[in-house]
Amino acid sequence: MKNKNPFSLKDKVAVVTGGQGQLGAAFVDGLEAAGARVFVADLPGAKPFRRGEKRKIVPIDVTDEHSVEAAVAQVRRAAGRLDIWVNNAGIGLFTPFETRTMAEFDRVLDINVKGVFLCTRAAAKAMAPRGGAIINIASVYGLVSPDPRIYGDSGRNSSEVYGASKSGVIAMTRYFAVHLAKKNIRVNAITPGGIFNHQAPFFVKNYTARTPLGRMGHERDMSGAAVYLASDASSYVTGHNLVVDGGWTAW
Ligand SMILES: NC(=O)c1ccc[n+]([C@@H]2O[C@H](COP(=O)([O-])OP(=O)(O)OC[C@H]3O[C@@H](n4cnc5c(N)ncnc54)[C@H](O)[C@@H]3O)[C@@H](O)[C@H]2O)c1
């Protein structure tokens, strides 16, 4: 019988980069719950965000072309196909721009921008000729500046280069949506707002007060968006940036 649930990912093979991390693990859970076979790709030795969790990892360094291609090949050998790729691996940086080192600047761009490029190029090749779905994880700071008031006088603030990298992710999402459309590959982004991870109480209070839905995000809040963008439910959606931020950017 034909599968009538448009959100079903039954028989689909997915990869989540940075799948050991806070959001990555939630994307893995969500895609698996929808029926996909999911490979967790991460740096060798990356510690699971959820302590004690043991998952087999496909080793990948998203900044290294050869490592990315080897990871894609490993998944193809194991599963025979590739349908969904989530570019989730990424890092933040919270030190002042006045003292920014070029090594810090380059590292953020390498992982957050070059990593998305290398993985998209390799995954798209592996998705042919069937097509597939690529999902890039951006950030509200790719859309708007951090509001310095919520960081108070802590000396911490999300950085200029992080924002630039996530704007770059959104731009690349549109570029690849257009340039991979003929190959039946849809490319979309998810833009999460701030996710609770035991930040300092003053920060949680300030962030919450500025969020229309009145709380920080939970990683669970993100996985439905990934299932939607990975599945036939979004079959006519490409180049979109799905903002999941509790309304943070709505005012
Ligand atoms: N947590 C938030 O509040 C938030 C908000 C908006 C966007 N994001 C974005 O969501 C994504 C996941 O963030 P998170 O909070 O879960 O972070 P996290 O640190 O918990 O997880 C990131 C994962 O990426 C992996 N990684 C880092 N460098 C890598 C590399 N070179 N190659 C392969 N893997 C690498 C890490 O090992 C880790 O498992 C990131 O792109 C981040 O920018 C997070």
Side-chain angles (χ1 to χ4, degrees):
M1 207 176 83
K2 219 169 158 229
N3 179 9
K4 292 237 176 73
N5 175 5
F7 292 94
S8 171
L9 298 177
K10 193 169 167 291
D11 301 327
K12 303 283 186 195
V13 173
V15 173
V16 178
T17 68
Q20 290 278 83
Q22 184 178 14
L23 267 62
F27 291 131
V28 171
D29 285 351
L31 297 175
E32 276 182 347
R37 176 174 178 193
V38 185
F39 290 83
V40 173
D42 212 317
L43 290 170
K47 295 227 163 56
F49 176 76
R50 295 186 296 217
R51 253 184 283 158
E53 187 169 82
K54 285 207 171 66
R55 287 198 67 125
K56 219 169 126 195
I57 295 181
V58 175
I60 193 170
D61 176 351
V62 298
T63 67
D64 176 347
E65 192 174 354
H66 301 295
S67 167
V68 168
E69 275 160 19
V72 170
Q74 185 178 330
V75 171
R76 292 226 35 211
R77 270 197 310 278
R81 58 187 284 162
L82 178 63
D83 306 287
I84 299 156
W85 186 281
V86 184
N87 280 315
N88 165 75
I91 58 164
L93 186 62
F94 296 89
T95 50
F97 70 87
E98 289 90 344
T99 54
R100 176 76 56 247
T101 67
M102 288 307 94
E104 289 172 330
F105 201 94
D106 290 348
R107 183 153 182 271
V108 173
L109 291 182
D110 259 11
I111 296 174
N112 294 6
V113 180
K114 190 164 89 182
V116 169
F117 167 71
L118 290 175
C119 290
T120 299
R121 189 171 65 175
K125 211 165 147 197
M127 285 171 179
R130 204 182 275 113
I134 295 173
I135 300 168
N136 298 328
I137 308 308
S139 163
V140 286
Y141 293 155
L143 294 174
V144 296
S145 167
D147 180 345
R149 294 170 301 182
I150 67 166
Y151 295 90
D153 55 10
S154 66
R156 262 173 84 83
N157 192 349
S158 190
S159 53
E160 77 300 332
V161 65
Y162 181 75
S165 75
K166 292 303 186 178
S167 290
V169 168
I170 294 166
M172 269 197 295
T173 299
R174 298 189 179 121
Y175 183 93
F176 284 117
V178 169
H179 290 84
L180 292 172
K182 274 203 190 103
K183 299 196 165 157
N184 196 26
I185 296 172
R186 296 184 297 104
V187 186
N188 291 289
I190 295 172
T191 281
I195 309 298
F196 178 73
N197 186 13
H198 308 285
Q199 291 92 341
F202 80 87
F203 175 84
V204 176
K205 187 165 166 262
N206 291 347
Y207 196 100
T208 297
R210 197 190 169 299
T211 308
L213 285 184
R215 64 176 174 88
M216 291 194 74
H218 189 284
E219 54 269 24
R220 272 193 312 269
D221 293 320
M222 303 299 137
S223 52
V227 171
Y228 168 65
L229 292 173
S231 68
D232 286 348
S234 62
S235 56
Y236 200 50
V237 178
T238 198
H240 184 58
N241 178 26
L242 181 43
V243 180
V244 187
D245 68 350
W248 176 266
T249 53
W251 58 6

